Amino acid sequence: MLQISYIRENREEVIDRLKVKNFGQLGLVDEVLRLDEELRSLKVASESISAEANSAAKKIGELMRQGKKEEAEAIKAQSASYKEQLKQYTEQLGPLEAKFFDTLVQLPNLPYHLVPEGKDAEDNEVVLQHGDLVELPEGALPHWELAAKYDIIDFELGVKVSGAGFPVYKGKGARLQRALINFFLDKANAAGYREVQVPILVNSDSGFGTGQLPDKEGQMYYVGNDDMYLIPTAEVPVTNMYRDVILKEEDFPIKNTAYTPCFRREAGSYGAHVRGLNRLHQFDKVELVQVVHPKRSYEVLEEMSLYVQSLLKELRLPYRVLRLCGGDMSFTSAMTYDMEVWSAAQKRWLEVSSVSNFETYQSNRLKARFKDADGKMQLVHTLNGSALALPRIVACILEENQTERGIKIPDVLVPYTGFEWID
RNA sequence: GGAAAGUUGGCAGAGUGGUCGAAUGCGGCGGUCUUGAAAACCGUUGUCUGUAACAGGACCGGGGGUUCGAAUCCCUCACUUUCCGCCA
């Protein structure tokens, strides 16, 4: 959520930057400013009545104590009208406040100055590419066929148990998953992230805090009986640990990592691009979340990007890094790097990580603040990144490393899997 | 699932209708003392909103009500804790 004070003072700039984000409803900016002004003038009026009512009440108290009953009664009679006036104001203020808030939350985050203008994925900027795009030999299989051939991932079984998008990992397939989770967590620990285990069902306050609610409601599975949501990413519970928290400057940087399953409804996604492991309703992910001083957040974003790249290098997967254009960025992000891995068999790039700086967009909702050196309250900056999402990594590992003999497990994973070959 | 109690400032914990934005303790900050530190002592210490600065306004789990006046009384919702039941 943007800060209204910032919009008030930087109207032109806000509009310009929203244009970079390809935001279609620029009129909302003036709408929110209009509501803000209306709201504030109404508040001034209502508060002056409150002030009068308060001082009258105080006076009555004093008179009563002095035993001057008649005088007190006289003021009492006058005071009766305040109540009616205040009631009228609150009746207007309530709906107006709601309208204001509804409008304000419809404004997405402002993109950072490095974010390129653009509509969609076509306009993303390729920052770098690493590793050769190996040509697989004739007869190489996509991962879903490899999964069937070695009987390690069973999509049909998942359909029976739950539905499409809920695969069952079997034998070495399951063990590879577990190995990757442990590998990613160990690496994150070594990089200074504290490991946390968090709930995967969250309440609506948490959904709001990180920006999934109210807009992305349809993306999440909702457990109506208990009014809870299955998390689409560990970002939600981990970042919400800092909701309503006042930090000290020396607490920074706060680095947490969590492994969780993630659940996404992905309504309306079908076709070749969602085949196999490409897009699932349930998948595993190790997530990084940092809470940092505003001055350092872009430094930290680079650091996180490099960290994610180091994982991909260790796994020997060719990858590229994209800086997302305004139009392709998420609602809440100020700048995002996507890491994509080359799927040799599908001959296309697959997103395996997304690293974002949210600046104060989340912390303003979360009320996650710190006292700065001058003793003033400031909103923290929050960042997160996948390190990494498993399914597409698994897909690429299977495809890249297929040989006549079987699938060769990358060296760094062997201590974790306990086997070198899937055959 | 049943029963009871509770929700107050960074934390602990007083406060049952007016001088309560809230005692006290801890913690934090500043100072005295000390070569330095600790202890002790003194002072200070909530958030949001608003103003050029004052002033003013709001906040004692959320919402509503009673009253001239509510942390305090009433209604309602949510959550937490404890005991019993069930259970990995």
Side-chain angles (χ1 to χ4, degrees):
Chain A
M1 184 164 67
L2 296 178
Q3 290 166 270
I4 185 64
S5 56
Y6 191 85
I7 303 176
R8 227 184 267 150
E9 285 155 32
N10 305 278
R11 175 183 171 274
E12 318 291 327
E13 185 210 318
V14 167
I15 291 175
D16 284 345
R17 289 170 75 185
L18 287 176
K19 278 182 191 159
V20 173
K21 202 148 192 174
N22 207 38
F23 183 61
Q25 302 167 75
L26 293 173
L28 287 179
V29 176
D30 284 331
E31 172 76 359
V32 87
L33 285 173
R34 190 183 63 75
L35 289 167
D36 174 52
E37 202 158 314
E38 203 178 322
L39 200 53
R40 287 198 297 158
S41 71
L42 203 57
K43 266 188 187 157
V44 168
S46 124
E47 278 171 13
S48 74
I49 305 287
S50 293
E52 282 181 47
N54 285 346
S55 79
K58 209 167 264 178
K59 197 169 285 170
I60 292 170
E62 245 166 72
L63 292 171
M64 295 289 264
R65 238 171 296 117
Q66 294 163 9
K68 299 178 179 167
K69 228 171 167 196
E70 300 81 44
E71 287 180 53
E73 288 300 328
I75 301 179
K76 245 193 221 187
Q78 288 170 25
S79 294
S81 75
Y82 292 135
K83 206 177 174 182
E84 185 53 34
Q85 291 182 63
L86 278 174
K87 197 177 168 192
Q88 281 179 16
Y89 278 118
T90 25
E91 272 168 11
Q92 288 179 63
L93 274 168
L96 194 58
E97 254 163 4
K99 184 92 190 300
F100 167 75
F101 183 76
D102 284 350
T103 312
L104 184 59
V105 296
Q106 282 180 57
L107 294 174
N109 202 356
L110 304 176
Y112 191 52
H113 72 266
L114 290 177
V115 172
E117 225 165 310
K119 265 211 320 271
D120 51 35
E122 297 288 299
D123 301 319
N124 292 336
E125 174 192 335
V126 179
V127 178
L128 68 88
Q129 188 170 321
H130 178 273
D132 299 322
L133 308 188
V134 286
E135 283 290 314
L136 291 179
E138 198 67 20
L141 302 173
H143 69 267
W144 53 87
E145 288 183 31
L146 292 166
K149 179 175 173 185
Y150 297 109
D151 194 27
I152 50 174
I153 307 172
D154 195 327
F155 293 97
E156 287 72 28
L157 200 49
V159 168
K160 175 165 88 177
V161 174
S162 297
F166 293 92
V168 173
Y169 301 88
K170 303 193 289 194
K172 286 184 174 176
R175 290 165 67 189
L176 175 59
Q177 293 270 123
R178 182 154 55 87
L180 279 165
I181 292 163
N182 283 332
F183 172 68
F184 291 146
L185 284 174
D186 283 355
K187 285 286 165 187
N189 276 298
Y193 291 89
R194 179 185 62 163
E195 184 173 340
V196 291
Q197 283 199 13
V198 291
I200 58 176
L201 280 164
V202 294
N203 57 32
S204 54
D205 283 346
S206 292
F208 175 77
T210 33
Q212 280 70 29
L213 297 176
D215 318 293
K216 306 279 177 319
E217 181 137 28
Q219 184 201 34
M220 293 190 287
Y221 286 98
Y222 176 60
V223 184
N225 272 350
D226 297 289
D227 193 25
M228 305 253 258
Y229 296 85
L230 279 159
I231 58 169
T233 159
E235 164 195 350
V236 180
V238 176
T239 310
N240 270 282
M241 296 196 304
Y242 299 93
R243 173 151 47 84
D244 293 319
V245 166
I246 297 169
L247 295 160
K248 301 193 196 99
E249 241 181 285
E250 60 263 33
D251 295 333
F252 295 134
I254 294 170
K255 303 167 76 174
N256 286 300
T257 184
Y259 152 71
T260 66
C262 301
F263 303 88
R264 298 189 184 177
R265 296 184 62 228
E266 309 287 3
S269 326
Y270 299 100
H273 277 197
V274 303
R275 204 131 175 224
L277 296 172
N278 288 343
R279 183 171 296 174
L280 300 172
H281 287 308
Q282 178 182 335
F283 63 96
D284 291 308
K285 181 157 66 65
V286 171
E287 183 79 3
L288 312 175
V289 174
Q290 290 215 35
V291 177
V292 305
H293 192 288
K295 280 211 178 90
R296 284 208 58 229
S297 66
Y298 280 94
E299 234 172 280
V300 170
L301 182 68
E302 296 303 317
E303 169 207 309
M304 290 173 78
S305 160
L306 287 175
Y307 171 76
V308 172
Q309 292 178 52
S310 77
L311 297 177
L312 296 171
K313 281 180 189 160
E314 288 207 60
L315 293 170
R316 301 195 177 288
L317 295 170
Y319 67 86
R320 64 178 190 177
V321 178
L322 304 178
R323 191 197 320 266
L324 296 192
C325 73
D328 204 30
M329 254 184 349
S330 77
F331 193 76
T332 48
S333 172
M335 185 154 94
T336 297
Y337 289 119
D338 270 10
M339 282 67 181
E340 296 187 331
V341 166
W342 179 250
S343 161
Q346 299 182 66
K347 296 212 185 321
R348 64 190 190 98
W349 293 100
L350 299 179
E351 181 194 331
V352 291
S353 176
S354 192
V355 185
S356 301
N357 184 359
F358 303 96
E359 297 188 5
T360 59
Y361 197 86
Q362 291 183 329
S363 59
N364 189 32
R365 292 182 166 207
L366 294 162
K367 298 214 192 323
R369 296 169 295 175
F370 72 100
K371 261 203 172 111
D372 66 19
D374 302 328
K376 276 181 43 181
M377 284 291 182
Q378 280 195 54
L379 293 169
V380 302
H381 279 197
T382 60
L383 301 97
N384 67 48
S386 355
L388 290 159
L390 292 230
R392 294 174 188 162
I393 290 289
V394 169
C396 287
I397 287 176
L398 299 182
E399 291 175 4
E400 287 280 323
N401 299 293
Q402 56 183 305
T403 69
E404 303 231 322
R405 184 184 154 182
I407 292 159
K408 176 87 168 68
I409 299 295
D411 293 343
V412 290
L413 286 181
V414 173
Y416 288 93
T417 53
F419 54 84
E420 280 181 57
W421 292 90
I422 295 174
D423 46 19

